[in-house]
Amino acid sequence: QKALHLAGGVPPQKLAPLHEMLGDFLRVEEFYDEALAAFDTARTLDPKRTSADRKHAETTLEKAQATGKLSLSEALLRGDS
């Protein structure tokens, strides 16, 4: 986060990779909401950044699994739906 603060004057699109990396670190530490926010920022700064889209989706699934919420496909396989 300090690197983002020090990056004043850098074009916003060039900051997208930093936000994505921050999301990566937060995701590993299981700070899912903060990671999702970082990936959202990366996507906003660079809408063509498909890696941030993918990581956002993966993190959303990880968060659901970590909180005990099953995905629809898992529920279907278990016969819970």
Side-chain angles (χ1 to χ4, degrees):
Q1 288 177 335
K2 187 173 183 178
L4 292 170
H5 177 71
L6 295 173
V10 175
Q13 188 175 13
K14 300 252 184 207
L15 293 177
L18 289 175
H19 285 279
E20 186 173 340
M21 284 188 280
L22 176 60
D24 292 336
F25 289 121
L26 292 166
R27 179 180 170 191
V28 167
E29 295 299 321
E30 298 182 1
F31 293 106
Y32 297 117
D33 292 330
E34 294 86 347
L36 290 168
F39 294 136
D40 279 338
T41 301
R43 296 184 319 168
T44 299
L45 294 174
D46 185 358
K48 295 179 183 178
R49 193 160 192 85
T50 58
S51 57
D53 287 331
R54 178 181 46 79
K55 290 176 183 180
H56 189 280
E58 292 169 351
T59 304
T60 300
L61 282 174
E62 285 178 25
K63 178 183 175 187
Q65 291 170 342
T67 58
K69 296 178 183 173
L70 296 175
S71 69
L72 177 59
S73 60
E74 290 171 325
L76 288 171
L77 287 173
R78 289 179 46 173
D80 293 345
S81 61

